[in-house]
Amino acid sequence: MTFDLFGNDADDDTTNAPQTDELGPGAFVLRGFARARLATLQTDIDAVIAQAPLRHWLTPGGKRMSVAMTNCGDVGWISDKMGYRYGTHDPLSKQPWPAMPASFVALASDASEAAGYRDFSPDACLINRYTLDARLTLHQDRDERELGAPIVSVSLGLPAVFLWGGLQRGDRTRRVRLEPGDVVVWGGPSRLVYHGIASVEGSFDAQAVRYNLTFRQAR
């Protein structure tokens, strides 16, 4: 992956306020909020993956997920035939999940505060890798004990079409295009809104992927 794809490596992206799109009460897209940090974030993603490789979890029903995932932080999200849950150790290596990089912690804090959520302290970061054929069906993030804390989701790499629904699975969905550097933050009345990824946009290049960082306060 090239730095042209992920933006420049400047550390200070706070000089210009990003465009903010409101998805619903307590839910926002911070356009380009992380753009100047993308190269640093990608370096730290690669370091986490070197310790805890990406894998395709199985759903409780035994279906292989198309999105490759790993975790960092005090706990990580796990899915297998036993169900969805958080655990302190990587089931593959039996080792604790890698520590959350400082760049991740700073971005999660800055983005949540920009969206009006102060004192967000995530203990889990899911790292998802999407190839062009990967999708994430509509779902709620409800495996966390602390549902009062927001979700912070950061896009890197290829653009994607984000699905934003309602509090019921059958509610009408909006299609929102996400570019690298966009950050979606949702909480409060929108904390349990159904959401997903409909598609990833790009040419059929095996090296072209989308990464997503999802920060959560799980415990």
Side-chain angles (χ1 to χ4, degrees):
M1 297 179 186
T2 67
F3 284 173
D4 288 339
L5 176 62
F6 288 102
N8 62 54
D9 198 24
D11 290 327
D12 183 10
D13 62 350
T14 61
T15 55
N16 296 313
Q19 174 187 334
T20 300
D21 297 341
E22 185 173 1
L23 294 174
F28 308 93
V29 182
L30 308 180
R31 296 292 183 186
F33 189 89
R35 187 175 298 126
R37 312 187 196 196
L38 289 177
T40 297
L41 293 172
Q42 185 61 45
T43 297
D44 288 340
I45 288 171
D46 293 341
V48 170
I49 292 172
Q51 297 178 66
L54 294 159
R55 74 290 309 264
H56 294 269
W57 296 118
L58 296 178
T59 67
K63 184 177 180 180
R64 180 179 182 270
M65 294 184 177
S66 64
V67 179
M69 303 181 182
T70 190
N71 298 277
C72 61
D74 294 338
V75 293
W77 188 81
I78 300 166
S79 176
D80 56 26
K81 293 182 179 181
M82 296 174 58
Y84 305 128
R85 63 196 184 278
Y86 285 93
T88 58
H89 287 62
D90 183 340
L92 297 185
S93 68
K94 312 302 182 185
Q95 297 298 312
W97 293 107
M100 198 179 300
S103 66
F104 288 20
V105 175
L107 176 56
S109 176
D110 292 346
S112 60
E113 185 167 350
Y117 297 99
R118 297 183 179 276
D119 302 318
F120 177 51
S121 183
D123 54 9
C125 176
L126 284 63
I127 301 174
N128 296 342
R129 186 190 67 189
Y130 293 80
T131 54
L132 290 176
D133 59 348
R135 306 288 184 270
L136 194 61
T137 58
L138 286 173
H139 65 282
Q140 295 172 304
D141 292 338
R142 60 180 313 140
D143 299 319
E144 299 73 36
R145 295 181 185 174
E146 181 49 77
L147 295 179
I151 301 291
V152 175
S153 177
V154 185
S155 293
L156 301 88
L158 295 176
V161 176
F162 179 62
L163 296 175
W164 180 255
L167 296 176
Q168 304 296 323
R169 184 182 294 275
D171 289 345
R172 184 175 180 178
T173 59
R174 293 170 55 188
R175 298 170 68 89
V176 182
R177 192 173 194 270
L178 297 179
E179 300 279 357
D182 289 346
V183 181
V184 186
V185 183
W186 66 95
S190 295
R191 175 60 177 76
L192 292 178
V193 162
Y194 278 87
H195 58 283
I197 294 293
S199 62
V200 176
E201 301 178 357
S203 61
F204 286 92
D205 178 351
Q207 302 301 314
V209 297
R210 173 183 188 258
Y211 279 100
N212 170 249
L213 303 176
T214 302
F215 296 95
R216 303 175 182 177
Q217 190 172 325
R219 300 189 302 182

